[in-house]
Amino acid sequence: MTSDLIIKNETIIYVACPANIATGGPELLQQLVFELRKFGLNANIYYYSYKNQNPVHEAYIKYNNPYTTKIIDSLDNILIVPEVKTNLLFEYKNVQKVIWWLSIDNYYNAFNHKNSIKRFLKNISYKIGLKKIYKFNTHCNIKHFVQSEYAKQHLYAKGVSNIHFLGDYLNDVFITNQLSKQQTIKKDIVVYNPQKGIEFTQKIISSESSISFIPIHNMTREQVSDLLSQAKVYIDFGNHPGKDRIPREATISGCCIITNRMGSANYYQDVPIDDEFKFDNHIDEISNIIKKIKDCLDNYEQYTARFESYRTMIVGEQEQFIKDIKKIFLIDKSKVD
């Protein structure tokens, strides 16, 4: 099924991206423009939160993507916004509109409404000042791309149609670096991300002093890569708002992965690890989590082999991303293969 986007020779594709921010979401937005331009489409980054400085973060200079701070509101053009910037869609009348759901949880959190999820379930329309934001199942002219099975199922449950999968992929430099570090000697260390799920993670850490837990904190990409290449285990008890990158970076780095069942981690399509490596964020589970961590540390060679199919999937994500683009944007395979 195609996306029914109308693409002409004069079509301009705008991909909305925050200025001067380097995280997983903005990099994916940059990657989309980069790949679309390789196919000859007139794709541009549209920077928001722009304050008269160079909006291009140094991490994204390599993509050499053209950018603009103005959108031509024409039926021929396409505006793609991340889920945290849906209010931008209401500033334009004619342009073809797309929400790219890079997460679900971040959408609810982006607008700082108390009890926003509960209120949204009641289908209440929100406003930010005088600007409306997208409310489920009311704007049929808006198309939807999803980055995860979690997002797809959430939108289906809300009655949203016109959903198309457009995944993502890890930075190829990260994958290349990790493949070159395959001979790195693994240590009995467990890595975690202190930015997500730290309250429950801290309970795990406090319950077992014999295990060396190391946080990913104030590190460059290369330092993260080096740390993960040495670790045997990566744990993630955060909310998994989308198909997160760090679990995949840890997996491709040879780590055994242990998560909860929240968000995308609850879907095998997004986090394809056996159920024995997934636990609830409940104090009664801590002893079982510790037992599994120790088992992975003590029997690393046996357990790391259990994640090979996940690693194969990760390596193939860029190729799948390109296939998704071809399908969504009606690119003639005979011209680009």
Side-chain angles (χ1 to χ4, degrees):
M1 183 174 63
T2 60
S3 63
D4 299 323
L5 291 171
I6 299 173
I7 300 178
K8 303 178 180 180
N9 290 334
E10 60 269 27
T11 294
I12 304 172
I13 301 172
Y14 301 100
V15 178
C17 180
N20 273 309
I21 293 179
T23 59
E27 178 152 29
L28 177 51
L29 299 168
Q30 297 280 346
Q31 289 170 335
L32 176 59
V33 170
F34 179 73
E35 297 292 351
L36 287 173
R37 293 188 66 81
K38 284 165 63 175
F39 292 141
L41 297 177
N42 186 6
N44 301 264
I45 293 290
Y46 168 78
Y47 280 113
Y48 58 88
S49 302
Y50 177 65
K51 297 181 180 178
N52 297 319
Q53 80 279 34
N54 181 357
V56 184
H57 193 281
E58 61 181 2
Y60 304 141
I61 293 175
K62 64 180 181 178
Y63 292 112
N64 196 30
N65 287 327
Y67 69 86
T68 182
T69 56
K70 294 183 179 180
I71 292 174
I72 299 174
D73 189 18
S74 165
L75 292 171
D76 294 332
N77 296 336
I78 300 168
L79 173 58
I80 302 172
V81 304
E83 80 291 342
V84 296
K85 198 61 180 176
T86 62
N87 58 301
L88 183 63
L89 297 176
F90 295 91
E91 297 182 17
Y92 304 94
K93 179 180 179 181
N94 299 310
V95 70
Q96 300 174 68
K97 301 173 181 179
V98 179
I99 301 173
W100 193 4
W101 296 85
L102 307 182
S103 76
I104 289 297
D105 305 44
N106 293 348
Y107 165 72
Y108 288 109
N109 295 333
F111 305 104
N112 296 318
H113 289 291
K114 289 184 178 180
N115 300 316
S116 60
I117 295 179
K118 182 177 179 180
R119 292 173 62 194
F120 229 117
L121 290 173
K122 293 182 179 179
N123 208 28
I124 294 175
S125 178
Y126 295 147
K127 293 186 178 181
I128 307 174
L130 298 177
K131 295 180 182 179
K132 293 182 180 179
I133 68 171
Y134 173 77
K135 119 178 142 170
F136 289 114
N137 202 27
T138 59
H139 299 282
C140 297
N141 63 321
I142 295 178
K143 298 172 178 63
H144 302 266
F145 300 163
V146 293
Q147 176 257 12
S148 65
E149 183 69 17
Y150 172 40
K152 184 174 79 171
Q153 294 303 325
H154 189 84
L155 265 61
Y156 277 148
K158 293 292 185 182
V160 176
S161 58
N162 208 348
I163 301 172
H164 307 275
F165 197 90
L166 180 59
D168 70 343
Y169 61 92
L170 295 184
N171 187 296
D172 57 351
V173 173
F174 193 95
I175 293 178
T176 300
N177 286 346
Q178 286 305 326
L179 293 178
S180 70
K181 295 175 182 177
Q182 287 184 343
Q183 301 305 314
T184 301
I185 298 176
K186 288 288 188 177
K187 301 177 181 178
D188 286 340
I189 56 177
V190 179
V191 175
Y192 66 97
N193 178 6
Q195 301 301 315
K196 295 183 178 181
I198 187 58
E199 182 177 348
F200 186 72
T201 301
Q202 194 59 55
K203 292 177 181 178
I204 296 172
I205 295 171
S206 299
S207 71
E208 186 52 66
S209 60
S210 67
I211 298 176
S212 176
F213 292 91
I214 300 180
I216 296 175
H217 183 63
N218 288 335
M219 293 182 178
T220 64
R221 174 170 289 168
E222 186 59 35
Q223 288 171 331
V224 173
S225 176
D226 288 342
L227 175 61
L228 292 174
S229 68
Q230 297 175 56
K232 288 184 178 180
V233 178
Y234 171 77
I235 61 172
D236 194 325
F237 288 87
N239 60 329
H240 300 272
K243 192 169 66 172
D244 289 348
R245 291 189 175 223
I246 295 182
R248 285 178 284 163
E249 291 175 347
T251 302
I252 204 68
S253 304
C255 296
C256 299
I257 310 300
I258 297 174
T259 72
N260 55 18
R261 296 186 176 91
M262 296 176 66
S264 65
N266 194 43
Y267 293 88
Y268 186 83
Q269 298 93 323
D270 297 333
V271 183
I273 63 178
D274 291 341
D275 196 56
E276 70 178 274
F277 300 103
K278 296 183 179 182
F279 300 85
D280 293 327
N281 280 29
H282 194 282
I283 193 168
D284 291 342
E285 286 275 46
I286 290 180
S287 60
N288 293 325
I289 295 169
I290 292 296
K291 181 179 179 181
K292 181 58 67 176
I293 291 174
K294 288 184 174 181
D295 206 6
C296 288
L297 293 174
D298 294 340
N299 303 283
Y300 171 74
E301 295 300 333
Q302 171 189 339
Y303 277 106
T304 189
R306 302 272 298 276
F307 298 89
E308 279 306 312
S309 61
Y310 192 6
R311 295 182 186 114
T312 299
M313 184 199 81
I314 293 166
V315 171
E317 283 180 330
Q318 184 170 6
E319 181 180 353
Q320 184 58 52
F321 184 72
I322 293 171
K323 289 180 180 179
D324 293 341
I325 288 175
K326 289 179 180 179
K327 184 176 180 180
I328 290 172
F329 294 91
L330 301 173
I331 296 172
D332 186 351
K333 284 188 176 183
S334 65
K335 295 179 181 180
V336 294
D337 283 345

